[in-house]
Amino acid sequence: MSAVKSIPPEPPVAKKSLSESLKAYLDRRAIIMLFLGFVAGIPILLIFSSLSLWLREAGIDRSVVTMFSWAALGYAFKFIWAPLIDAVPLPILTKLLGRRRSWILVSQLMIIAAICIMASVNPANQGSLVLMAVGAVLLGFSSATQDIVIDAYRIELAPPSLQAVLSAMYVTGYRLGMIVAGAGALYLADYFGSTEAFYSYEAWRNTYWIMAGVMSVGVITTLIIHEPISQQVLVERETSDYARLVMVFAISVIGFVLVFANAGAVLPETEGVFSGFLVEVVRMTASLTAAIAIGYGLVKANLVAPEFARTTWVEPIADFFRRYGMKALLLLALIGLYRISDIVAGVISNVFYQDMQFTKVDIANAVKLVGVIMAIGGGFLGGILAQKMRIMRAMMVGAILACVTNLLFILLTYHPGSLPYMYLAVILDNLAAGLASAVFIAFLSALTSIRFTAVQYSIFSSLMTLLPKVIGGYSGTIVDSTSYPFFFMFTFAAGIPILALIYLVDKHIVIGDNDDIYGGDDDSGDNSDNGKEGVDLIKANPNLTQTNEPPRAAE
């Protein structure tokens, strides 16, 4: 039996012509997502590649540099505080701007503050890395919070049929933001006088100050856009209820931090790459378990109403499993592994280009400019692809391209310093990554219930980055222990099982409007399934299933 009672198939959704698909990119809602995507793309490279080059120029070891990518683990754990964003209104701001815009504005102001903290630190000074790490972690937390609200805003802004376009425009804006924070930051640092041979803290400080100023684009955008009309039924609660809910979350986070900080004294020290990874997994699992236990204990002690806590944290997860049953595990596996090839490879990419004898300007021109433009083109192709074919078929195309293009970096290791080989690898890899990102965002949007927009989407997107970013933090250690060819072959091989997962999901679960082409079990007992005999299919889009799902935004 399927998790959701399926209904007789309606006529297949008509595929859009190419002109209709392109016209959708001029929709006002698509333009809004372009600007919001731009400000979402600014912070990520200020934690990853731009920061890694800054730290390398300051003389920080490569293994330490790649570990700074863990500052972005807030993206992987944002599902923990996403329920607060759905449940807790902000004093004054929520009445002035609305639920989504108020949270977007606060997160943007926190991002600006975090960038300024990082700009105030010279990593070359002994003992300064702690404050740099604090700023980076705050930047990761604030940026992840912004992503939570923007994703919820996007899903509530338009119907499922337009989500592929909004996803593509979001990715386009995101990549433009990455150009500014990537290539732009490198150009600025070079212009202000910092090079690999002659490090200048003032150059990087000025660069990060300018990046903080660029975030004002997001503040202006948030103030002029409109609040989406939500179909969610919100229950007004006393201010003390919200305060207690936040208190439970804060105490649980403190417990997580304390266990994580002190677990190192208990767990054995190891120098091996794989054993070190396992130790960190145990450390993270113990910390999360402690945080959950603390939160559960506080709820049982009635610090917060059990019904309120259950509605906030448990109900969004229960809803997902009610709709999909045990097949939800298959979906979660696909979500957690789909981007593993390109995310793991991307963590060490800038250090790799430096080791391949390319200058900072070479990297800025090829990776941060041409590469990002190719990723934007890939995003547009992914949006068109998702409108013209079944979403799972588009997912398969993206997965194949994402892992195969990693082999090009092995070719580059045999031609260090060769710009033609560098551009070949960068262009094809980013084209594939942009396409895969656009179709994957559309896929996640189709899975998300409009009743729990922020929470469920943040769970999906957190799961998408958790394992890849944890492994990516060890990318420098893996290369030190083996070689670059082995590392990129490993990232290629990691993408192969994804193809089997996509096949299984496509075989057993129907995703989205444009996949509504199969039959299923109905009350008449007719089990015909249009060529998929014996396959028990469910309709994943809430508008196509017999659930109590509120309607999404209309065209």
Side-chain angles (χ1 to χ4, degrees), residues 286-366:
S287 303
L288 283 172
T289 302
I292 294 171
I294 291 171
Y296 180 77
L298 294 174
V299 172
K300 295 296 287 185
N302 287 322
L303 182 59
V304 65
E307 174 271 333
F308 190 18
R310 183 170 55 254
T311 301
T312 302
W313 276 294
V314 178
E315 187 58 26
I317 299 173
D319 168 82
F320 180 68
F321 279 91
R322 275 197 300 269
R323 286 190 288 135
Y324 296 106
M326 293 306 296
K327 293 173 184 176
L329 298 178
L330 189 62
L331 288 169
L332 293 176
L334 176 58
I335 293 168
L337 296 173
Y338 185 75
R339 298 293 307 281
I340 192 169
S341 291
D342 52 327
I343 291 179
V344 172
V347 170
I348 202 173
S349 60
N350 271 1
V351 176
F352 167 68
Y353 293 128
Q354 280 187 320
D355 291 342
M356 291 297 104
Q357 304 169 20
F358 295 108
T359 67
K360 189 162 55 186
V361 174
D362 289 336
I363 297 172
N365 289 336

Side-chain angles (χ1 to χ4, degrees), residues 352 355-358 406-418 421-422 425 483-488:
F352 167 68
D355 291 342
M356 291 297 104
Q357 304 169 20
F358 295 108
N406 280 356
L407 297 176
L408 296 171
F409 296 106
I410 298 178
L411 183 64
L412 185 57
T413 62
Y414 293 99
H415 300 84
S418 171
Y421 280 99
M422 180 192 195
S483 63
Y484 276 119
F486 175 89
F487 172 75
F488 289 116

Side-chain angles (χ1 to χ4, degrees), residues 114 190 233 246 302 304 310 320 368 405 469 538:
D190 190 72
V233 178
V246 173
N302 287 322
V304 65
R310 183 170 55 254
F320 180 68
K368 309 304 179 185
T405 50
K469 284 182 178 176
I538 66 175

Side-chain angles (χ1 to χ4, degrees), residues 17 28 51 165 176 277 291 326 355 440 446 462 486 498 501 541:
S17 66
R28 173 178 51 85
L51 179 59
V165 173
L176 290 173
F277 170 73
M326 293 306 296
D355 291 342
F440 192 48
S462 295
F486 175 89
I498 314 305
L501 281 174
N541 189 303

